[in-house]
Amino acid sequence: MTSLKEAFSKEKTFVAFTVAGDPNIDKSIEYTVALANAGADVIELGIPFSDPIADGPVIQKAGLRAFDAGIDTDKIFDMVSRIREQTDVPLVFLSYLNKLYDYGYEEFFTECENRGVSGVVIPDLPFEERGEVDEQATAHNVSIIPLVAPTSGDRVQKIVEDSTGFIYLVSSLGITGVRDNNQMAGDLSETVAKIREYTDTPVAVGFGIHTPEQVTEMNRIADGAIIGSGIVKLIEADPDNATDSIEEYVRNIKA
Amino acid sequence: MQEMKLETNNKTGRFGDFGGQYIPETLMSEIERLTKAYNHYKDDPEFKSELHDLLVNYAGRPSLLYHAKRMSDDLGGAQIYLKREDLNHTGSHKINNALGQALLAKKMGKTRLIAETGAGQHGVATATVAALLGMECEVFMGKLDTERQALNVYRMEMLGAKVHPISSGTGTLKDAVNAALQEWTRRVDDTHYLIGSTMGPHPFPTMVRDFQSVISKEIKEQIVKEAGKLPDAVVACVGGGSNAMGAFYNFIDDKDVRLIGAEAAGKGLNTEQNAATLEKGRPGVFHGMKSIFCQDDDGDIKEVYSISAGLDYPGIGPEHAFLQDIKRAEYVGITDDEAVKAFDYIAKEEGIVAAIESCHAVAYVMKLAPKMKKDQIIVCNLSGRGDKDVAAIARYKGVDLHD
């Protein structure tokens, strides 16, 4: 299995997101492998949650498709094992904390280690509460990938100081309508510079990124880009036959 | 405000293991600003006197503590006193917290308030104070709730608020909270999220409890003056838990006063259709807090049900989870049927049309009072008035109302 460190040692790293179990387990495995084969450097698998407060409508709908197909956390770990038979691509989870809490932190991170999951992004776990999972995650060699927002300000230092894996920089939040692309890029460059003061951990930018042009721009600013709903939309458009469109999409991004 | 009474209620907002700040990073800077502002203004004499003035001259505080003699005689046991939060301006206890937070938001330079609402009581209170303080207001309300509480939707609109019906999930209070949190993430600069209950990330559970603790402060003064002693029990309904926290708070150190919360048992605790979080849920992390939640086998939040739009929430404020844990408070389930019977009973016996939420507390008082002695006292918090529920109660009984 490739490590996150190796994945980010490339010139620029592309992180692709899909929802685990969307539209069903077999297809979800097929699409994950397709993403890897087409050139995605890291794959982030979303664990569906009943109340995904940090996700937009596209990813919420994908979660509902996965629930309809009967997904649960145990089945996701089984999926990971089957993906691992076909590709070495580093895998990280995106999950709301309650899914881990209810599964049991020790059990969850043990499974991550055994099945080959390198990190977890937890959108509702800010720095202040990281003590919830730090010990067990570290013991099982799983990175807790911190999120930094343009609003993080003085918080950046404590968030990134002891980070491992990579840092997830949230690009487009709030304050909608008042910032154009140039302003957004300016804000992001500033935030990346601030992160660089405290750590060498690579920075990938996500949220609201869809096009190859945006990826190029984010690659200029940071170490890589994360695309979520752009890929999930392809699955939504043709749930049973999305392999070709997914591969083409990733090749365009990587071109 | 009140002094902190529980040693565990430290600066990170923990009540034992419950509470905390489990919220996306995008909101954390704002949460820090809010915590700082609250800690400053809660002890600021000018803020306190402005709020006091609004509570007295606008909301109509103190609310009455009324000796329900007919009910006491009829039930044949304890003396029952009703804390009349239903007589506040806007018709419920929600105005206490709405005034406090809106004033704080204004001090922080905010010009826009957003809020979630279940039954509509908190939405109405927020829309009201927004009008009073000249602020913009948008309210998020489950689509199902906009249908069963149509009158309150129109009230909010009359007050100048925009109401967003939320159809995602179950279309109830939980989904309204999700939508309001998302909106706050999108637009935080000029906006305060005026959470209506003792829930969410710190500082909300503490702040909302402090703003509501005026209820138990008044009860204590009023009952000592009237009966010369403390009550034997305080009973209040719990959804997220704000009116109960307000009614309990100043009695927590009075160990002889039983504190009892009435949860919505819907169609029964042995069915899937209830919202009795403290009896049926287990620990989890959701909506910014570690607390007790109704969940399925895989840690997903469950759909809950109650006849009352204000009580069908799958979680509970973290301080209630703690009070249950340390056995300082008890929580009991009241079914739809029992609540509707209490609605009829208190109307006919005392001439008070109380909110269906509050009638969950009344229903428990009807069970408890006969088992107590005549010189014992129960205070029941009537958190709101029931005008909004008349149509729904008629529907429940199969009565066809034509306007």
Side-chain angles (χ1 to χ4, degrees), chain B residues 115-131:
Chain B
E116 85 294 341
T117 197
Q121 302 294 72
H122 175 57
V124 167
T126 306
T128 298
V129 300

Side-chain angles (χ1 to χ4, degrees), chain B residues 324-344:
Chain B
Q324 184 191 46
D325 207 35
I326 61 168
K327 300 191 165 49
R328 178 62 192 93
E330 311 152 56
Y331 297 87
V332 296
I334 295 295
T335 63
D336 286 358
D337 279 345
E338 291 170 326
V340 170
K341 280 194 189 106
F343 188 95
D344 285 345

Side-chain angles (χ1 to χ4, degrees), chain B residues 44-179:
Chain B
D44 178 56
E46 197 186 306
F47 180 85
K48 284 163 81 173
S49 104
E50 274 177 68
L51 180 57
H52 180 75
D53 180 67
L54 287 169
L55 288 172
V56 172
N57 295 311
Y58 187 70
R61 300 210 72 88
S63 67
L64 297 175
L65 184 70
Y66 164 72
H67 187 181
K69 292 203 185 81
R70 281 177 55 89
M71 214 177 138
S72 306
D73 288 347
D74 182 61
L75 294 170
Q79 298 308 303
I80 297 159
Y81 287 80
L82 303 173
K83 180 61 171 166
R84 301 291 308 273
E85 292 297 301
D86 60 316
L87 295 179
N88 294 338
H89 180 43
T90 74
S92 80
H93 73 292
K94 294 292 186 188
I95 192 78
N96 305 328
N97 169 55
L99 281 169
Q101 279 195 55
L103 196 60
L104 178 68
K106 189 121 189 166
K107 300 271 178 205
M108 291 176 72
K110 305 288 183 185
T111 55
R112 178 172 176 260
L113 299 174
I114 57 172
E116 85 294 341
T117 197
Q121 302 294 72
H122 175 57
V124 167
T126 306
T128 298
V129 300
L132 177 72
L133 298 177
M135 299 169 90
E136 256 182 87
C137 182
E138 291 185 34
V139 177
F140 297 82
M141 188 169 183
K143 192 159 186 304
L144 178 68
D145 292 342
T146 60
E147 285 156 14
R148 50 182 174 175
Q149 297 291 350
L151 197 63
N152 268 343
V153 173
Y154 195 65
R155 265 171 96 191
M156 288 183 267
E157 286 167 352
M158 283 182 74
L159 290 159
K162 187 163 192 260
V163 179
H164 300 275
I166 305 302
S167 46
S168 62
T170 47
T172 60
L173 183 53
K174 151 184 94 90
D175 308 290
V177 175
N178 292 348

